[in-house]
Amino acid sequence: MKHIVKLLILLVAVSAFWIGLLETVVPRSYAWLLPVYFIVSLGCYGLLMVGVGLMHFPTCPQEAVLLQKDIAEAKEFLKQRGVDVDYD
C-alpha cells in the first residue's frame, strides 16, 4: 500500500509540474514529448532500482552448497537415463 501512495504522490507532482510547464515554459510543439520523457524516466528509475537490488542481493553460501548437490544429483539421474550432461 505504501508504494501505491508513493506512486500516486509522484504522479500528482509530475502532473502539476507538467501542467505548469505547459502554461509557461514549454512551447506547445514540444508539450507532447513530456509524457514520453516521463515514461523513459520511469524506465530508467526501474532499471536503477533493479541494479541497486542486485548489488545488495545477499549471498547465501548454504543455499549454494545445496544447489550444487541438487545439480550433481540431477546429473547422476540423467546419466542413469542415458543423457549426456557433461560439458567438458
Side-chain angles (χ1 to χ4, degrees), residues 13-77:
V14 169
S15 298
F17 182 69
W18 182 21
I19 291 169
L21 283 178
L22 285 177
E23 294 179 355
T24 58
V25 179
V26 178
R28 294 233 180 240
S29 60
Y30 295 121
W32 65 274
L33 288 174
L34 291 177
V36 175
Y37 291 146
F38 178 69
I39 291 171
V40 169
S41 297
L42 281 177
C44 291
Y45 174 75
L47 286 175
L48 176 70
M49 290 297 107
V50 168
V52 168
L54 287 175
M55 288 188 331
H56 294 292
F57 190 76
T59 56
C60 304
Q62 309 91 333
E63 295 298 323
V65 170
L66 289 175
L67 181 61
Q68 290 298 325
K69 287 180 182 177
D70 288 343
I71 291 172
E73 182 181 321
K75 282 184 177 182
E76 185 61 35
F77 176 78

